[in-house]
Amino acid sequence: MTSTGGEWDASQLREYPFPLENIPRLDVNDPEVGRCIAQTQPVVITGSKLAEPALKWNLDYLQEHLGQCMFNVFAAKGTGHKFMYYDPKKAANCKDFEPQMHAVDMTFPEFVHRFRTSKPEDSRLYLQQALNDTVGTAIVDDFVNFNWSWVTAQQRTHDWGPLTSNLLLISMEGNVTPAHYDEQENLFAQVQGYKRVIMFPPSQFGCLYPFPVNHPCDRQSQVDFDNPDYEKFPKFRNAKGLQAVVGPGDVIYIPMYWWHHIESLLGGETVSVTFWYKTSRIPQTITYPLSPQQKVCIMRNIEKMLGEALKDPAEIGSLLHTLVQGRYPADTRDFMSPT
Ligand SMILES: O=C(O)CCC(=O)C(=O)O
Ligand SMILES: [Fe+2]
């Protein structure tokens, strides 16, 4: 992959053991964009002007225009660079769980000060704050001037549900959001700096070994991409990804249930804004075989149902093993194909 304008170079990209192909990069007026979204295939969209008023959102501008509210900031554990999300509500399910980051909420000027004076031995920071009406009037003015007509047309064309939130992400260079999938459609607008996005389709669920649904790290891969444990996660050898580098003005479509790993490249802070939409309504006719997305949804529901039925998440694994071992090999076609 090469940089289009020389703003980043390939030496900044971390090295991983899996093969990568490029995500298509298309102009907003290219009809192929609509086809990619309709087929839930990732695509980088240029020229949409989705978050154009935010292209000036560097730290100085934001400090001047953001309100005095407290912001959600995460600090990575130790000197680590990974920001693995976890659900504090599920932490009670795992007595030995040790989060890899913790929340350190602060005002924006405090964040900027810590950001600018940070030394290599300090914890890295990552601000992840929902854009709402407490963020200051100048920012609300910019927000109102986003290209809502384009994004709402996408929502309508693809029969998505309501917009649920816009997350403002301000990252230090070199921070990594490890591979995970979300349960919403995402038009992710890059406004400052460059991010590398690596994605894997939902069909690679088995290669990426997500944590159990009742674990605080639900939806996150258990595989450490920097040091994969192939004994524990042998199918990670079969993982094959797609990648793109997004810069100011680019929008990348991250379809629901698609795995994504995101690195902030070197060159100062990176700023992004997400547009998360609920997925489309249940189709009136279901076609078989089901899609990999539908199968992920079924697996999640089975895990949730077992958790509720057993009233103890620790019992789910042994029940599932008893259900499968010696009974259901990976391919049951030999003895279960209908005539
Ligand atoms: O940009 C990042 O670091 C993470 C963003 C992400 O996971 C998302 O938008 O769903
Ligand atoms: Fe995500």
Side-chain angles (χ1 to χ4, degrees):
M1 203 173 36
T2 50
S3 162
T4 45
E7 300 89 348
W8 55 274
D9 78 79
S11 70
Q12 298 179 0
L13 308 179
R14 291 174 174 273
E15 283 190 25
Y16 297 114
F18 42 79
L20 286 165
E21 283 185 26
N22 291 337
I23 295 172
R25 188 178 165 85
L26 302 173
D27 180 81
V28 67
N29 295 314
D30 188 329
E32 192 58 26
V33 169
R35 282 196 283 274
C36 289
I37 301 180
Q39 292 167 7
T40 62
Q41 293 292 316
V43 57
V44 177
I45 305 157
T46 59
S48 71
K49 300 194 173 7
L50 173 56
E52 191 167 65
L55 295 180
K56 57 181 176 295
W57 288 7
N58 58 27
L59 290 181
D60 288 328
Y61 180 89
L62 289 168
Q63 175 149 348
E64 200 174 319
H65 294 99
L66 280 170
Q68 286 303 308
C69 60
M70 296 299 275
F71 286 78
N72 290 317
V73 177
F74 291 104
K77 190 174 161 194
T79 53
H81 60 273
K82 292 195 190 109
F83 289 77
M84 188 189 283
Y85 172 82
Y86 66 97
D87 181 352
K89 293 196 288 299
K90 293 184 182 173
N93 292 338
C94 286
K95 69 173 177 354
D96 296 328
F97 172 63
E98 268 195 49
Q100 296 300 297
M101 65 180 189
H102 65 279
V104 283
D105 294 358
M106 55 185 88
T107 63
F108 202 78
E110 212 176 324
F111 171 69
V112 173
H113 177 74
R114 289 203 31 192
F115 198 106
R116 292 200 164 135
T117 58
S118 173
K119 294 188 254 343
E121 63 274 23
D122 294 337
S123 290
R124 287 165 166 277
L125 300 179
Y126 200 157
L127 182 144
Q128 306 194 353
Q129 170 70 43
L131 285 174
N132 53 32
D133 48 15
T134 67
V135 296
T137 50
I139 296 300
V140 172
D141 283 348
D142 289 339
F143 183 82
V144 169
N145 289 315
F146 285 174
N147 192 350
W148 293 105
S149 68
W150 179 75
V151 78
T152 307
Q154 304 314 304
Q155 175 192 24
R156 212 174 309 118
T157 308
H158 301 291
D159 197 25
W160 291 344
L163 175 79
T164 57
S165 60
N166 296 99
L167 196 67
L168 170 66
L169 295 156
I170 307 180
S171 174
M172 287 182 167
E173 57 183 21
N175 286 357
V176 170
T177 297
H180 67 281
Y181 64 87
D182 296 311
E183 295 183 276
Q184 303 202 33
E185 305 288 349
N186 187 358
L187 287 168
F188 178 99
Q190 186 61 15
V191 299
Q192 292 276 332
Y194 290 81
K195 274 181 168 170
R196 178 210 207 173
V197 181
I198 297 180
M199 288 169 71
F200 304 90
S203 58
Q204 292 193 27
F205 186 96
C207 305
L208 287 152
Y209 300 88
F211 283 91
V213 164
N214 294 285
H215 188 280
C217 296
D218 175 25
R219 302 184 289 100
Q220 319 289 314
S221 174
Q222 297 179 79
V223 182
D224 176 356
F225 281 19
D226 296 324
N227 187 19
D229 181 341
Y230 291 112
E231 265 179 35
K232 231 167 137 185
F233 308 121
K235 290 193 192 142
F236 185 63
R237 287 194 195 280
N238 303 336
K240 275 201 199 95
L242 296 174
Q243 70 173 333
V245 171
V246 288
D250 293 343
V251 170
I252 184 164
Y253 169 49
I254 307 179
M256 171 156 131
Y257 292 136
W258 273 71
W259 295 88
H260 46 287
H261 153 116
I262 300 187
E263 316 176 357
S264 283
L265 301 187
L266 307 182
E269 77 269 16
T270 69
V271 182
S272 330
V273 180
T274 69
F275 292 72
W276 269 311
Y277 288 89
K278 291 238 190 251
T279 187
S280 52
R281 291 182 292 272
I282 296 162
Q284 284 174 347
T285 51
I286 298 183
T287 51
Y288 294 91
L290 295 179
S291 68
Q293 282 89 330
Q294 288 167 316
K295 289 178 186 169
V296 171
C297 182
I298 292 175
M299 289 189 277
R300 294 188 59 81
N301 284 335
I302 290 174
E303 288 185 58
K304 282 188 214 164
M305 260 164 42
L306 285 177
E308 280 163 27
L310 295 166
K311 294 273 180 283
D312 178 2
E315 279 193 50
I316 300 173
S318 82
L319 188 140
L320 281 173
H321 275 271
T322 310
L323 183 74
V324 169
Q325 270 174 351
R327 301 186 60 224
Y328 284 94
D331 193 346
T332 46
R333 257 166 244 278
D334 286 351
F335 60 93
M336 297 271 289
S337 303
T339 48

